[in-house]
Amino acid sequence: MKIKNIITVLLCAVFLFGMSAWCFSGQTPEYSESERRLLEGFPEVSWDKISSGKFASEFEKYSTDRFPMRDTFRTIKAYARLYGFMQKDNNDLFTADGHLSKVIYPHNPVMTDHATELFSTVRDKYFPNLDKDTENKIYLAVIPDKNRYLAADNGYLSLDYDEINTIIQEKMPYANYIEVSDLLSADDYYFTDTHWRQDKIVDVAERLKAEMNHKSSVEYKENIMPYDFNGVYVGQSALIVEPDTITYLTNDIIDNLVVEGANGVYDMTKVQSKDPYEMFLSGTQPVIKLTNPKNTTGDRLVIFRDSFGSSIAPLLVDAYSEVTLVDLRYVNSSILDMFVDFSDADVLFMYSTVLLNDSLSMK
């Protein structure tokens, strides 16, 4: 018995000290590719931090982020939660109908109010004479998250998307509302990501153009990216799933666009980056201008948008001579006139429910 106890103590000591030595001596990455975020660095050591308990709190975050084989243990934990303990979600992510999706709940009225107040401020400052009945008009489209089509039917909490849309419309009475949710289904989005698939939203683009009095229908060639696409939910869920593929659309109009503010309509330097979806108009850019030399009408459109706009904008340009995209997360609304010409242009506010329900990044 004594020998057994000694062996047990020695094994525990070897494990504890061995793991500690591994943690401190091993090379750990600064960035988590799977989670798409910077990992916590070693906290600054000072008497003030130690005495206040802040050092211990920061060290706990550091040690959790830099633990050896962290991604492997995250995967074990995810499968244990879902299939061992039969929990319905892991890190607010769930699997339904072949999709990875996120629980987005509840509605945050403070955030939607912040967004609509910002839009109204932009309107009052840059195009105060535009409304839903002027020659050039203001339009609004709200893009639902894919869990609108997955959550409630599979027993998960879900936003009341119709109610949120009604509230936003009431806050923006100067805008013509364009409904798009009835054209979409879960399979119009990537299985592993939050974004919609460009090849599935041609009908959405055609409705937007028709509702903005620029009815147009064109043909596209489908091009399949020869690399796997593991969307943002793969790393967050830590599950092993089948990757997506990205299909992008081209035609003679798109091929001849003049692009300012992005590395082309399709940025091929991004296809093997941490987020291949950023191949659409180079991802997060503050202001992008697309000039269509094949359209000589002089018609112009300014789109206030989030990342969903990157993949649908190329499908709208055939109806306009110029389309400008503005991302208020990356350019301050107070200086827009330094970069954007609003004269004789229609304006479209097109945002996803996800951003509208967490809009603090817009300024």
Side-chain angles (χ1 to χ4, degrees):
M1 182 62 69
K2 184 177 179 180
I3 295 174
K4 181 180 179 182
N5 290 338
I6 292 173
I7 293 173
T8 302
V9 170
L10 287 174
L11 288 174
C12 289
V14 169
F15 177 78
L16 289 174
F17 288 105
M19 290 299 292
S20 298
W22 191 6
C23 287
F24 285 106
S25 64
Q27 293 293 321
T28 56
E30 300 292 326
Y31 183 87
S32 171
E33 294 289 345
S34 61
E35 297 171 273
R36 300 184 186 178
R37 68 177 182 88
L38 288 171
L39 298 176
E40 292 287 338
F42 191 85
E44 177 188 357
V45 180
S46 68
W47 174 249
D48 288 340
K49 280 194 171 185
I50 294 173
S51 60
S52 67
K54 190 175 181 181
F55 176 84
S57 176
E58 291 181 355
F59 182 81
E60 182 179 1
K61 294 178 181 177
Y62 162 79
S63 59
T64 301
D65 269 5
R66 302 304 182 96
F67 195 82
M69 299 177 62
R70 181 171 175 272
D71 284 340
T72 301
F73 283 110
R74 289 181 65 243
T75 299
I76 293 171
K77 177 218 173 189
Y79 279 99
R81 281 177 60 95
L82 295 176
Y83 303 109
F85 298 102
M86 304 304 292
Q87 297 192 15
K88 289 181 68 67
D89 62 85
N90 179 48
N91 298 331
D92 288 332
L93 290 161
F94 63 91
T95 304
D97 301 340
H99 284 264
L100 282 172
S101 190
K102 192 175 185 70
V103 176
I104 301 173
Y105 185 87
H107 171 217
N108 190 336
V110 174
M111 289 292 98
T112 49
D113 285 351
H114 172 264
T116 54
E117 288 167 8
L118 177 61
F119 300 157
S120 296
T121 299
V122 168
R123 182 240 181 181
D124 293 343
K125 182 172 183 177
Y126 298 111
F127 37 93
N129 298 321
L130 263 62
D131 58 34
K132 60 173 61 177
D133 298 317
T134 51
E135 182 177 356
N136 291 115
K137 297 177 174 60
I138 301 176
Y139 300 92
L140 167 68
V142 179
I143 305 165
D145 184 73
K146 68 176 177 180
N147 76 2
R148 174 180 182 134
Y149 311 101
L150 294 168
D153 291 343
N154 289 281
Y156 296 93
L157 293 171
S158 177
L159 297 173
D160 187 333
Y161 288 89
D162 292 330
E163 179 185 38
I164 293 174
N165 289 355
T166 299
I167 291 171
I168 293 171
Q169 290 176 65
E170 290 174 350
K171 299 280 188 179
M172 300 176 65
Y174 48 82
N176 293 279
Y177 179 69
I178 305 175
E179 182 63 66
V180 299
S181 62
D182 60 313
L183 297 176
L184 297 167
S185 69
D187 289 343
D188 293 328
Y189 298 75
Y190 294 106
F191 294 115
T192 65
D193 198 72
T194 185
H195 293 104
W196 53 15
R197 300 169 57 97
Q198 189 189 53
D199 54 309
K200 300 290 188 179
I201 56 172
V202 173
D203 55 346
V204 176
E206 289 180 353
R207 177 177 289 182
L208 289 172
K209 290 183 286 188
E211 292 290 326
M212 294 188 292
N213 300 313
H214 286 77
K215 187 173 183 179
S216 177
S217 178
V218 293
E219 298 295 323
Y220 299 98
K221 175 187 175 182
E222 292 190 354
N223 307 270
I224 300 176
M225 192 61 61
Y227 303 103
D228 290 340
F229 172 38
N230 289 300
V232 65
Y233 291 149
V234 174
Q236 292 177 6
S237 70
L239 297 174
I240 300 172
V241 297
E242 287 293 320
D244 277 298
T245 57
I246 292 179
T247 299
Y248 63 100
L249 305 177
T250 56
N251 59 21
D252 190 49
I253 296 171
I254 293 174
D255 290 343
N256 287 281
L257 291 177
V258 178
V259 182
E260 300 176 45
N263 187 24
V265 177
Y266 303 116
D267 186 349
M268 295 304 169
T269 66
K270 301 283 189 178
V271 298
Q272 291 184 286
S273 67
K274 63 180 182 294
D275 185 4
Y277 180 81
E278 290 189 344
M279 67 164 286
F280 295 102
L281 293 176
S282 297
T284 53
Q285 304 298 324
V287 179
I288 299 172
K289 185 166 75 172
L290 306 174
T291 303
N292 177 10
K294 292 185 174 295
N295 185 306
T296 58
T297 63
D299 292 338
R300 301 174 59 248
L301 174 66
V302 176
I303 305 175
F304 289 91
R305 57 87 183 207
D306 56 19
S307 54
F308 282 77
S310 296
S311 52
I312 198 170
L315 311 185
L316 303 176
V317 291
D318 60 280
Y320 295 90
S321 296
E322 181 183 291
V323 174
T324 302
L325 291 84
V326 180
D327 194 331
L328 292 174
R329 296 171 298 173
Y330 303 101
V331 59
N332 195 294
S333 59
S334 64
I335 57 172
L336 284 178
D337 53 352
M338 296 175 59
F339 309 101
V340 183
D341 177 13
F342 293 101
S343 60
D344 301 320
D346 290 332
V347 175
L348 169 63
F349 291 94
M350 181 173 57
Y351 284 92
S352 64
T353 309
V354 175
L355 183 59
L356 294 173
N357 202 47
D358 187 14
S359 64
L360 207 57
S361 59
M362 293 193 290
K363 49 194 182 295

